Amino acid sequence: MAKTSLIEDAHEVARAVALIELGARMQVLESELSLSRDRLIRLYREVKSESPPKGMLPSSADWYMTWQANIHASLFYNTYSFLKNEGCCSHVDALTKGYRLYKEHCAYGCIEPQLDLTRAWTLVRFFNGGILQLSPCRRCGGKFVGYKHDLPGHKVCAICQPPSRAGKKVRGTEAGASAPAPMLN
Ligand SMILES: [Zn+2]
């Protein structure tokens, strides 16, 4: 078996550190990186000064369909797919950079991030698994996360048509509610 080059090994460690800093769980690291589980655990402890948490990962695509989560998921996935397709990033790099940009955008708009890194990673897996896709909103034309079996061209996105209860929540924080809109176009 060919030995991994030291430079490639260093790149993998850097990728692992970046993902751990952004909140990646062990399942995400083990699935995306070629480093051994022992080394990943050691890296995790070094970066976070604690052991990696145990437990199951979220597994339902329905989570991304609630209105706020859908806006956040759409913002992240549009960024991810731009980096991967237009920016020629690898999947791991697009995930890391896309998630970092998503968090920066939330901070800039003073919005609490709804997606953690694990949710962002799971979202990409649902796309790759053919469960989710980006569908254009028939009102604003922005692309948002929807089920693959949804009829195209019939949906209005959560920004154009938030649920009535959303008005109560966002009143007074209007900037937060409308901030992601331009990024989706
Ligand atoms: Zn819309």
Side-chain angles (χ1 to χ4, degrees), residues 8-184:
E8 184 45 39
D9 188 64
H11 283 310
E12 279 291 270
V13 170
R15 288 184 195 109
V17 169
L19 283 169
I20 294 165
E21 281 172 346
L22 291 171
R25 303 267 298 268
M26 276 303 289
Q27 291 96 324
V28 177
L29 300 170
E30 284 187 272
S31 155
E32 299 300 338
L33 301 167
S34 59
L35 303 173
S36 71
R37 183 179 166 78
D38 282 354
R39 288 185 76 196
L40 288 170
I41 291 173
R42 276 173 57 200
L43 276 171
Y44 194 99
R45 287 196 182 124
E46 268 189 48
V47 175
K48 291 276 189 184
S49 306
E50 61 185 27
S51 294
K54 295 192 173 71
M56 303 283 284
L57 294 186
S59 62
S60 168
D62 290 342
W63 186 87
Y64 302 98
M65 299 305 154
T66 57
W67 75 277
Q68 259 188 332
N70 192 266
I71 295 169
H72 284 247
S74 302
L75 172 63
F76 167 75
Y77 196 80
N78 274 285
T79 312
Y80 166 86
S81 67
F82 176 83
L83 289 167
K84 190 154 181 276
N85 301 324
E86 315 293 325
C88 300
C89 288
S90 69
H91 158 65
V92 175
D93 288 346
L95 178 73
T96 309
K97 290 176 184 172
Y99 188 72
R100 202 174 279 143
L101 283 168
Y102 159 72
K103 279 191 81 169
E104 281 173 15
H105 190 73
C106 288
Y108 184 70
C110 301
I111 321 164
E112 192 64 33
Q114 301 283 312
L115 288 182
D116 59 19
L117 185 97
T118 306
R119 290 276 188 195
W121 175 75
T122 313
L123 177 71
V124 175
R125 283 169 66 102
F126 281 129
F127 271 82
N128 294 343
I131 294 163
L132 299 178
Q133 66 176 10
L134 286 177
S135 309
C137 163
R138 68 179 157 87
R139 203 173 288 172
C140 67
K143 290 181 187 165
F144 67 102
V145 173
Y147 282 111
K148 197 138 193 179
H149 55 68
D150 285 346
L151 287 172
H154 287 262
K155 288 262 188 169
V156 175
C157 78
I159 295 170
C160 292
Q161 203 171 58
S164 50
R165 66 186 162 80
K168 288 173 191 156
K169 260 190 175 175
V170 299
R171 197 171 290 144
T173 54
E174 216 170 300
S178 59
M183 290 287 290
L184 294 175

